[in-house]
């Protein structure tokens, strides 16, 4: 795991070693073990106009894996952030073709793979990665990102220069960095508390989207998607066969993620996803699994008792941390590391959990992706119910007995059932905004001059309109929510502490298999993640897998009315962002007053505004 950065002077001006060094320093936390810089000038030009930087966290071939790594003749160079899990298989294949390796690191297969297959090497890589590759002969820069967007890569291209990095803070040290705020990105942030690719908060800076390759050769820049998750054609596997195969694929996914030369553990919430991973680790490990959990001093939000129960069941070496309001002291550091507004409050406990975990291990497995792959969010069930409600004749919809008769009110609770029925008339994208978004159009107009944007989600649903209600939601969660919210949170919070996280439930083979299964294997009647629970029940009592799902949320509503109210008012009642015209002070103040007096619950909205204000300052 590493941080990478670099500059291509498209105008062939001399690249600055000093700037490259400062880019590396800005992301040194991602790879504190080693720094490498290479500067190249192409075959016919001795003056270097391209530079690559690596900050390395040494995990595989710790002694010999220094980056950047080159081909035998020194004309192709690469830097990698991530892990290539099938590198041994690829190495064997490439050695048969005559390639000679000088290290035992996974990074080197990218260089020789590029020599053999060109830019299509990316399609052969199984792992989590963002890498840059420079080809002297073709004078070509290649940037690539993994299929799900586990590893970040941001860049800007001003025509004369293309600069890239793992994090925005490394780009900000480049002279001439385009720091104008993008109103469209702000609108997307208000809607979904994070900014989707390819946008960043800066108008001139872009995120490389997941499963994409960018090539820059001379005046030509091209962006190509190399993989799309397919939900069709549908598998004809029986439930028993599918349950068995998910177990087999999950075990393979866990085993391949145990590679490395450093201490390894697992994040454990006690929920279905992390329990599935930890139980599988325990089955294939010869030593007790080191597990790490986090809780809150509020029983409504605390899952530590469940994590302890799982840890006891599998005789894990267990570690815990409790988050209190004083944990918010880390906010300035969190804001700096994200580099742009980001308002998923679970980043706070994740940050503390990463720090706790890094004190014991260098690599940890987690349960990320279980909800998005197997159907664990309430919106997956709700979308199926809403579209079923659409088919109920209008006269019957008006009868109160229809709700009770359908079991909807019993399963979801009266309030949630009413919301499902109310949103049934909406489009899928509008429903998603209602269920997964933050600011409505009305509230967004009250606090900002930039409307909340749903364009990215609209485009996602347009591309999966042929899927059923459950699979369509899963596809959008995988294509939008994962790379926009969940995966950046986990990457930034963990790498801030030089901790590598690996996600077995986002293994490509496993995800592709599950996507092609009928949606009834994912959401069965009123049960989410049905198939994952069935597969995990081989090792875990079903009672542990059937408890009510809890999000990894922070009790922000109570904190904003109590311990953190002064902090909130100090920052938002005299908002610097409002003074600059990005927010509207009157609307912001109204939300503060309504929430702190108990008239309404605007905790989530206020957190979004607070994180924007802190970033702006």
């Amino acid at each position: 795991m590493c941080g990478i950065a670099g500059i291509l002077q498209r105008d062939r001006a001399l690249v600055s070693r000093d700037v490259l060094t400062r880019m590396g320093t800005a992301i040194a936390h991602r790879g504190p073990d080693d720094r490498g810089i290479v500067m190249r000038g192409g075959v016919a030009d001795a003056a270097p106009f391209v530079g690559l930087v690596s900050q390395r966290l040494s995990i595989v071939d710790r002694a010999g894996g220094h980056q950047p790594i080159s081909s035998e003749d020194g004309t192709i160079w690469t830097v990698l952030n991530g892990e290539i899990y099938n590198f041994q298989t690829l190495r064997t294949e490439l050695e048969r073709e005559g390639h000679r390796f000088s290290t035992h690191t996974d990074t080197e297969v990218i260089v020789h793979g590029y020599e053999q297959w060109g830019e299509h090497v990316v399609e052969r890589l199984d792992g989590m990665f963002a890498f840059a590759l420079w080809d002297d002969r073709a004078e070509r820069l290649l940037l690539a990102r993994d299929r799900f967007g586990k590893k970040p890569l941001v860049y800007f291209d001003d025509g004369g220069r293309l600069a890239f990095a793992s994090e925005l803070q490394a780009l900000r040290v480049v002279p001439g960095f385009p720091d104008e705020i993008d109103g469209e990105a702000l609108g997307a942030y208000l809607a979904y508390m994070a900014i989707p690719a390819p946008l960043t908060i800066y108008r001139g800076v872009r995120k490389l989207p997941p499963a994409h390759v960018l090539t820059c050769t001379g005046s030509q820049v091209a962006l190509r998607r190399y993989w799309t998750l397919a939900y069709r054609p549908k598998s004809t596997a029986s439930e028993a066969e599918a349950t068995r195969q998910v177990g087999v694929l999950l075990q393979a996914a866990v085993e391949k993620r145990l590679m490395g030369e450093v201490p390894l553990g697992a994040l454990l919430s006690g929920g279905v996803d992390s329990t599935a991973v930890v139980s599988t680790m325990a089955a294939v490990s010869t030593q007790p699994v080191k597990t790490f959990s986090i809780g809150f001093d509020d029983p409504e939000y605390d899952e530590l008792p469940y994590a302890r129960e799982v840890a006891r069941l599998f005789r894990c070496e267990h570690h815990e941390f409790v988050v209190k309001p004083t944990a918010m002291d880390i906010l300035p550091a969190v804001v700096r590391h994200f580099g742009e507004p980001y308002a998923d409050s679970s980043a706070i406990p994740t940050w503390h959990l990463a720090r706790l975990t890094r004190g014991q291990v260098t690599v940890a497995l987690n349960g990320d992706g279980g909800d998005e792959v197997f159907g664990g969010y309430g919106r997956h069930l709700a979308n199926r119910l809403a579209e079923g409600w659409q088919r109920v004749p209008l006269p019957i919809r008006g009868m109160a007995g229809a709700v009770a008769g359908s079991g909807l009110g019993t399963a979801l609770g009266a309030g949630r059932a009413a919301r499902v029925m109310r949103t049934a008339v909406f489009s899928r994208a509008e429903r998603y905004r209602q269920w997964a978004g933050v600011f409505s159009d009305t509230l967004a107009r009250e606090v900002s001059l930039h409307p909340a944007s749903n364009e990215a989600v609209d485009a996602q649903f347009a591309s999966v309109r042929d899927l059923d209600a459950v699979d369509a939601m899963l596809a959008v969660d995988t294509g939008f929510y994962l790379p926009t919210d969940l995966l950046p949170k986990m990457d930034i919070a963990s790498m801030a502490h030089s901790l590598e996280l690996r996600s077995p439930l986002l293994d490509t083979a496993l995800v592709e298999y599950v996507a092609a299964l009928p949606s009834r294997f994912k959401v069965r009647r009123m049960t989410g993640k049905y198939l994952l629970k069935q597969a995990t029940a081989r090792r875990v009592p079903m009672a542990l897998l059937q408890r009510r799902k809890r999000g990894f949320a922070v009790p922000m509503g109570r904190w904003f009315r109590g311990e953190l109210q002064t902090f909130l008012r100090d920052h938002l009642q005299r908002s610097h962002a409002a003074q600059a015209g990005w927010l509207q002070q009157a609307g912001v103040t109204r939300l503060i007053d309504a929430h702190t007096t108990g008239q309404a619950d605007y905790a989530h909205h206020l957190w979004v505004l607070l994180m924007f204000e802190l970033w702006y300052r």
Side-chain angles (χ1 to χ4, degrees):
M1 190 66 66
C2 304
I4 63 173
I7 297 174
L8 167 61
Q9 292 287 166
R10 297 176 64 190
D11 57 8
R12 306 181 77 84
L14 185 69
V15 69
S16 166
R17 175 174 286 274
D18 177 63
V19 172
L20 293 171
T21 299
R22 285 191 282 128
M23 293 176 81
T25 300
I27 51 173
H29 52 277
R30 297 186 70 92
D33 297 334
D34 187 22
R35 174 180 294 168
I37 296 177
V38 68
M39 300 167 65
R40 306 293 296 174
V43 173
D45 192 342
F49 59 87
V50 63
L52 305 179
V53 185
S54 168
Q55 290 288 155
R56 186 172 182 233
L57 179 63
S58 304
I59 292 174
V60 176
D61 190 10
R62 298 178 71 191
H66 175 78
Q67 296 187 40
I69 286 180
S70 74
S71 56
E72 297 101 320
D73 63 3
T75 62
I76 298 170
W77 292 82
T78 194
V79 287
L80 165 69
N81 170 26
E83 302 288 354
I84 309 301
Y85 299 125
N86 65 334
F87 81 97
Q88 294 284 16
T89 302
L90 292 175
R91 178 180 178 134
T92 299
E93 182 178 352
L94 289 164
E95 285 176 332
R96 284 200 300 263
E97 296 291 338
H99 295 271
R100 298 190 308 276
F101 284 73
S102 59
T103 75
H104 297 284
T105 180
D106 54 339
T107 306
E108 194 173 0
V109 301
I110 297 173
V111 171
H112 298 294
Y114 174 81
E115 290 180 304
Q116 186 70 31
W117 303 303
E119 71 172 59
H120 293 288
V121 61
V122 68
E123 293 149 36
R124 293 174 174 257
L125 302 179
D126 175 15
M128 54 178 182
F129 56 83
F131 70 82
L133 181 145
W134 172 253
D135 181 340
D136 274 344
R137 291 193 178 92
E139 295 194 353
R140 176 189 297 128
L141 177 68
L142 177 72
L143 305 179
R145 196 170 174 210
D146 66 64
R147 291 165 179 80
F148 298 104
K150 299 172 189 173
K151 294 290 99 186
L153 198 60
V154 290
Y155 67 96
F156 73 84
D157 179 9
D158 60 13
R161 168 187 54 185
L162 191 154
F164 65 88
S166 295
E167 296 180 13
L168 283 164
Q169 54 192 320
L171 286 185
R172 286 185 57 85
V173 306
V174 179
F177 174 80
D179 60 358
E180 180 185 356
I181 292 177
D182 187 337
E184 180 185 357
L186 176 56
Y189 169 74
L190 292 174
Y192 289 103
M193 68 186 172
I195 299 172
L199 300 174
T200 74
I201 193 61
Y202 300 105
R203 188 180 303 278
V205 183
R206 289 291 177 262
K207 298 181 179 90
L208 183 66
H212 277 72
V213 174
L214 181 148
T215 54
C216 181
T217 306
S219 61
Q220 302 297 315
V221 177
L223 194 63
R224 175 179 73 89
R225 187 180 189 100
Y226 66 85
W227 178 85
T228 300
L229 180 59
Y231 287 79
R232 295 179 183 277
K234 282 301 179 188
S235 167
T236 58
S238 67
E239 181 182 319
E241 181 184 353
T243 301
R244 183 193 65 81
Q245 185 63 10
V246 164
V248 169
L249 291 171
L250 175 57
Q251 180 164 322
V254 167
E255 287 178 331
K256 74 175 69 170
R257 285 164 177 79
L258 298 180
M259 73 175 194
E261 303 166 15
V262 295
L264 185 146
L267 307 187
L268 176 62
S269 69
V272 174
D273 306 332
S274 62
T275 297
V277 171
V278 167
S279 64
T280 306
M281 289 178 70
V284 301
S285 300
T286 57
Q287 300 293 324
V289 178
K290 296 178 185 288
T291 54
F292 304 87
S293 302
I294 201 154
F296 300 94
D297 60 352
D298 185 332
E300 184 179 347
Y301 293 84
D302 188 34
E303 292 194 293
L304 284 179
Y306 306 109
R308 289 181 199 130
E309 192 169 354
V310 174
R312 281 195 297 267
L313 179 64
F314 295 101
R315 299 177 180 176
C316 300
E317 182 184 316
H318 190 56
H319 307 266
E320 296 180 349
F321 180 81
V322 175
V323 176
K324 299 179 180 180
T326 54
M328 307 301 280
D329 294 344
I330 65 168
L331 272 182
V334 173
V335 171
R336 281 197 303 273
H337 278 272
F338 275 96
E340 67 177 356
Y342 177 86
D344 186 335
S345 65
S346 64
I348 305 304
T350 302
W351 181 280
H352 287 287
L353 180 57
R355 184 170 60 186
L356 167 71
T357 304
R358 186 60 175 92
Q360 300 287 328
V361 300
T362 308
V363 175
L365 275 62
N366 63 30
D368 289 352
D371 290 309
E372 295 81 6
V373 173
F374 288 92
Y377 293 130
R379 55 182 172 264
H380 302 142
L381 169 61
N383 202 44
R384 192 192 72 194
L385 296 173
E387 297 194 5
W389 187 252
Q390 287 176 345
R391 295 189 291 272
V392 175
L394 283 173
I396 298 179
R397 289 191 209 176
M399 299 170 58
V403 178
S406 67
L408 185 57
T410 302
L412 298 180
R416 293 181 65 192
R419 187 169 63 160
V420 167
M421 291 184 290
R422 185 174 63 252
T423 56
V425 298
F426 297 164
S427 69
R428 287 174 170 178
E430 290 169 330
R431 269 183 237 133
Y432 195 88
R433 168 76 173 279
Q434 289 278 323
W435 298 336
V438 183
F439 275 89
S440 66
D441 290 334
T442 301
L443 270 183
R445 283 193 294 269
E446 186 176 355
V447 301
S448 174
L449 298 178
H450 297 275
S453 171
N454 206 45
E455 289 184 13
V457 169
D458 289 340
Q460 290 273 337
F461 276 104
S463 69
V464 295
R465 60 169 57 95
D466 61 324
L467 300 182
D468 68 23
V470 172
D471 276 345
M473 280 284 170
L474 291 172
V476 173
D477 275 332
T478 302
F480 174 80
Y481 175 71
L482 270 177
T484 301
D485 186 324
L486 179 60
L487 295 178
K489 173 188 70 180
M490 301 306 293
D491 174 82
I492 295 296
S494 61
M495 292 309 296
H497 299 93
S498 307
L499 172 70
E500 176 176 304
L501 295 183
R502 298 175 180 174
S503 307
L505 296 180
L506 287 175
D507 182 79
T508 301
L510 175 61
V511 174
E512 288 180 332
Y513 180 78
V514 175
L517 291 171
S519 62
R520 68 178 182 275
F521 286 179
K522 305 159 196 176
V523 178
R524 172 70 60 89
R525 299 185 182 91
M526 296 295 175
T527 300
K529 285 190 283 201
Y530 175 79
L531 193 62
L532 182 60
K533 291 174 181 176
Q534 295 300 310
T536 306
R538 295 182 304 146
R539 299 190 178 105
V540 181
M542 187 58 80
L544 284 178
L545 304 174
Q546 290 180 327
R547 67 179 180 84
R548 182 173 66 87
K549 177 180 175 58
R550 292 189 183 186
F552 198 35
V554 172
M556 202 61 65
R558 176 172 62 80
W559 288 359
F560 278 161
R561 293 188 181 106
E563 299 96 323
L564 295 180
Q565 183 176 161
T566 299
F567 181 85
L568 177 72
R569 290 186 180 277
D570 283 349
H571 286 82
L572 286 184
Q573 282 196 317
R574 296 179 182 86
S575 165
H576 292 192
Q579 292 170 17
W582 294 106
L583 298 179
Q584 300 197 85
Q585 187 64 66
V588 174
T589 300
R590 187 191 74 78
L591 265 58
I592 296 172
D593 291 340
H595 180 83
T596 56
T597 59
Q599 299 173 44
D601 184 357
Y602 286 126
H604 206 172
H605 305 82
L606 291 171
W607 182 252
V608 168
L609 296 174
L610 178 62
M611 294 304 286
F612 178 70
E613 175 70 17
L614 290 172
W615 169 83
Y616 187 83
R617 291 191 181 195

